[in-house]
Amino acid sequence: MLAVDIQILLVIILGTSDCQIIPRIEECGLSCSQGFHCKSKPSTGIFNSFCRDAPASLSSTVLKSMKLSTAMKCVQGSQCSLHLSIKGTLNLDENIRGLEICSLSVNTQQSQCVNVRFSRKTSNKLGGRKVHVQFNCFEVNVAQHIYVTMKTIPNYCEVKLSQQYYVEDCRNNDVGKHIPVCFAGKLDYNVDRERKTISVNVSDFLQDRDYYVRLCHKRFTCEDVGSFALIKGKESLKSTSLPYSQLLPCLCIEGWSAIPDARRTQLCPFKNDTKALWDNIVYNPATQTLAWEPACPVHVTVNLCRLTKSNDQCVDLQNSSTTAPEKVKYSRVDTHPRLCMKFTTKQGSWVKCPFARGNFPAWKMRIAARAQQVQVSFMSQTKAKFSVLVCNKAQLSSCDSVGIRHAVSAGDSHPTSVNISGEICGSEVCIQGWRTDVDYSVPLQICDIQCTLSSQSQEDDENSVRIMSLTAIILILVTVMALLGHKILTVFRRKKYEGRSPAQIIRQRNILPVQCVDKAVPLAP
């Protein structure tokens, strides 16, 4: 069994060798060793399918060997076909009148058989001598898997040779250049993103042969996307235009000649255009299910994550990571705007936030400082249950609990509050709240709480009051002194003008400006 497996492996390796040259034949037919007369006749293989016991004088090794190879027959140097060449060796015996050679296609289960007959005179006269038989009229296809048997006529039990064979495929240079089904053609393309069309130019295919072009989504097979386009072989312009709906990584251009079993060529130029894959996110409010199904098979890791306030990071939620080539589904999901889906491939990561536009019910958490406590309020558009606690923020993705967890229920857009007592302050101390009535919730954190309730803060407040009071007293004293000075000045002026008539006071007031002008501006001589 091991020897058979090694033989098959060698056949596969040698049969697909790029450098192997296929022997040429001008005509197919049957030939036997010199001096032996033989002839062939097509057979159905039915009448020789049942075996009989061999005579005692007949050796079980009367069939010595069988060798298989591929031959190429060309007409006018261009129209070529492949044929299976079978060479067999046997010892002639008076009990053997000929050979039956059959070829079975493993892929299609189609068979073809031929009977090789020796004349009775030859069998009797040349009994015991070796005879070499060669037959090469079984036409085969490129890359065909064949099972070949050689039996005696009549068919004696346990006197049989069998062998598997793989015909060369289009990777063989000789086959690829001369067999029509290997002329897949060369495809060039140009994308018009505004019109959503792909222009395809075809070259290097069979002359005067029609050619098919299509768009397809490559999965296990390449599934149709739209209709075929036919390029006529007689037309000088070998191009066509194909409409598309979306540029996806699995979108391929496929082309082949309009002949049976023609080799197809594919061009998949959008393998790195994965951006469109992450848009197909669907949320079902009735079941609270968030699902994503890619339009193309893709190896991706999917996570639910919490988008930070700075919108520069999305922190993974615990137990939400999954790797699947097809549909991903999360049940009982919180519809908070900061709950997102993260997609990670070899090309990078993408984050999509399906609730960011606010089209689904959301909730908010706020805090307010009170005497000796912090009041945490929750507001939700729908009925929901929450938990809240004080924690120390060790990392971006974690917050270690340092207090008792408090349960809160809210709904109908009415705020519900819970009071947390104690000194809650510091840059690493946070109030964290999340929904508990769903499986996947965004934990919101309010951090860097001011130390408004500490004793140090109270002493600072008392000092501030004292300073403000002292400042107020000083301002009052300055105001009183200013008013007192103004009053004294007024009294002094009144005493200065006592005993003078009004005319003297007016005259003195009118002379003073003139004297100032004289001092300021000298008069001309």
Side-chain angles (χ1 to χ4, degrees), residues 22-41:
I22 308 300
R24 301 300 197 269
I25 58 172
E26 294 183 0
E27 296 292 338
C28 72
L30 171 68
S31 64
C32 294
S33 300
Q34 188 175 1
F36 291 88
H37 179 69
C38 59
K39 60 181 180 180
S40 63
K41 181 181 179 180

Side-chain angles (χ1 to χ4, degrees), residues 184-205:
K186 181 181 179 182
L187 303 177
D188 295 305
Y189 73 98
N190 185 45
V191 180
D192 189 338
R193 296 180 183 268
E194 292 184 359
R195 297 182 179 180
K196 284 194 170 185
T197 58
I198 300 176
S199 300
V200 183
N201 297 318
V202 185
S203 60
D204 298 341
F205 67 100

Side-chain angles (χ1 to χ4, degrees), residues 169-269:
D169 59 25
C170 294
R171 290 175 295 178
N172 179 283
N173 291 334
D174 202 9
V175 174
K177 290 178 180 179
H178 296 93
I179 303 302
V181 295
C182 292
F183 300 163
K186 181 181 179 182
L187 303 177
D188 295 305
Y189 73 98
N190 185 45
V191 180
D192 189 338
R193 296 180 183 268
E194 292 184 359
R195 297 182 179 180
K196 284 194 170 185
T197 58
I198 300 176
S199 300
V200 183
N201 297 318
V202 185
S203 60
D204 298 341
F205 67 100
L206 285 174
Q207 297 296 327
D208 299 328
R209 289 280 189 175
D210 294 344
Y211 195 89
Y212 288 107
V213 181
R214 69 166 182 165
L215 294 180
C216 57
H217 284 165
K218 191 171 184 179
R219 300 177 186 272
F220 296 106
T221 59
C222 214
E223 301 173 359
D224 287 338
V225 180
S227 58
F228 296 85
L230 178 64
I231 299 175
K232 293 291 185 179
K234 296 180 180 180
E235 296 178 356
S236 59
L237 186 63
K238 310 296 184 182
S239 64
T240 187
S241 183
L242 301 171
Y244 70 88
S245 59
Q246 212 173 14
L247 293 181
L248 297 171
C250 59
L251 182 65
C252 300
I253 307 167
E254 188 175 67
W256 68 99
S257 296
I259 58 175
D261 299 323
R263 181 191 178 193
R264 300 191 178 197
T265 183
Q266 287 182 356
L267 187 63
C268 305

Side-chain angles (χ1 to χ4, degrees), residues 353-385:
C353 302
F355 311 117
R357 296 183 178 180
N359 298 329
F360 297 92
W363 57 275
K364 296 180 180 179
M365 181 181 73
R366 295 178 179 176
I367 66 170
R370 304 298 183 192
Q372 300 295 328
Q373 62 185 4
V374 171
Q375 186 183 66
V376 184
S377 300
F378 290 91
M379 181 177 290
S380 175
Q381 298 175 7
T382 58
K383 292 183 179 180
K385 296 180 180 180

Side-chain angles (χ1 to χ4, degrees), residues 15-16 20 22 70 82 141-143 165-170 172 175:
T16 57
Q20 184 181 8
I22 308 300
T70 307
L82 296 178
N141 296 324
V142 171
Y165 184 72
Y166 289 84
V167 182
E168 290 83 354
D169 59 25
C170 294
N172 179 283
V175 174

